[in-house]
Amino acid sequence: MEWIQVADSSDCPHVGDMKRLRIQGKKYLLAHGDSGYFIVDEMCSHEDSSLYLGCVQGDRIKCSLHGSRFQLQTGEALDEPADEPLGTYPLKMEGTAIFMQC
Ligand code: FES
């Protein structure tokens, strides 16, 4: 496992901002929630829909297709129809640089 710089805080300066990440061929999403930055799977665990099309509400992200919400810290699905969690990934900051553990 190594830390890879994937973004800068200026990419997502405001709570509610998101940025798509493509790391080693996989799709992730950087989300700026109330408690800070989080990296989760970009694609919803219910069907093949990008959560980038949804919205961040507090420390949750809501899917635009069927409305399930996921906790950004844990990936837990909070509403049906999704019943599987999102993957969540370690993140650290050095100054304004955002690193993900891959
Ligand atoms: S595709 Fe996200 S809740 Fe159905």
Side-chain angles (χ1 to χ4, degrees):
M1 300 287 261
E2 60 178 323
W3 291 99
I4 297 175
Q5 184 176 352
V6 295
D8 188 90
S9 59
S10 62
D11 296 327
C12 285
H14 307 109
V15 171
D17 288 348
M18 294 184 272
K19 177 181 173 63
R20 287 171 152 150
L21 304 174
R22 297 289 180 271
I23 312 294
Q24 298 172 348
K26 296 184 180 172
K27 298 178 178 179
Y28 303 97
L29 196 63
L30 174 68
H32 191 168
D34 277 352
S35 300
Y37 293 97
F38 301 93
I39 297 175
V40 297
D41 289 329
E42 178 188 340
M43 304 310 289
C44 185
S45 64
H46 177 232
E47 289 182 2
D48 197 31
S49 179
S50 173
L51 293 168
Y52 184 75
L53 302 174
C55 60
V56 174
Q57 300 173 331
D59 281 339
R60 297 169 176 174
I61 188 165
K62 183 175 181 178
C63 180
S64 64
L65 191 54
H66 303 114
S68 290
R69 295 172 303 152
F70 300 87
Q71 192 68 38
L72 285 168
Q73 288 93 337
T74 62
E76 178 187 3
L78 301 171
D79 310 291
E80 293 182 343
D83 56 7
E84 295 290 327
L86 299 176
T88 59
Y89 303 92
L91 172 157
K92 72 173 182 178
M93 296 195 66
E94 291 182 6
T96 61
I98 298 173
F99 292 81
M100 174 181 172
Q101 194 171 37
C102 300

